């Protein structure tokens, strides 16, 4: 395999990881919405965390996962894509 094919394989892996993570994040959000009050009550009785703190923790979790997905998978995939396009122009 030459460098162009290796870059394409790595780029495709990053893209697939990003989209799979995004699908899991959307699925978690869709499963969370109908039962958020029930889960918040479980956390309140088990750990003594109020509902407001639990909702803030959930928002922080979603924000962290989105940041990880974008900066760990999407940005390198785009950079590799642009680098491979530049590599194609040289050939």
């Amino acid at each position: 395999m030459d460098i162009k094919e290796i870059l394409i394989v790595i780029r495709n892996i990053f893209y697939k990881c990003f989209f799979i993570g995004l699908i899991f994040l959307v699925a978690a959000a869709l499963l969370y919405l109908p039962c958020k009050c029930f889960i918040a009550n479980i956390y309140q009785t088990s750990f003594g965390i109020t509902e407001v703190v639990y909702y803030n923790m959930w928002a922080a979790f979603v924000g962290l996962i989105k940041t990880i997905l974008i900066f760990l998978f999407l940005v390198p995939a785009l950079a590799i894509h642009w680098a491979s396009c530049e590599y194609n122009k040289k050939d």
Side-chain angles (χ1 to χ4, degrees):
M1 289 175 69
D2 64 335
I3 189 73
K4 180 182 161 188
E5 293 172 354
I6 292 171
L7 287 175
I8 290 172
V9 168
I10 292 172
R11 179 197 65 189
N12 290 342
I13 289 171
F14 278 130
Y15 278 140
K16 288 176 185 177
C17 288
F18 172 74
F19 286 118
I20 289 171
L22 193 63
I23 288 169
F24 278 122
L25 183 63
V26 169
L30 290 177
L31 291 174
Y32 165 77
L33 289 175
C35 58
K36 67 180 180 180
C37 293
F38 174 71
I39 294 173
N41 287 334
I42 290 174
Y43 269 80
Q44 188 173 12
T45 57
S46 300
F47 302 114
I49 296 174
T50 64
E51 288 184 6
V52 174
V53 173
Y54 176 73
Y55 297 147
N56 289 338
M57 286 173 29
W58 175 256
F61 169 74
V62 170
L64 177 68
I65 296 301
K66 285 192 319 186
T67 304
I68 288 172
L69 285 175
I70 290 171
F71 289 110
L72 193 63
F73 296 120
L74 187 61
V75 171
L78 291 174
I80 291 171
H81 178 74
W82 290 331
S84 65
C85 288
E86 291 295 322
Y87 190 81
N88 285 340
K89 288 179 184 178
K90 290 180 183 178
D91 287 344

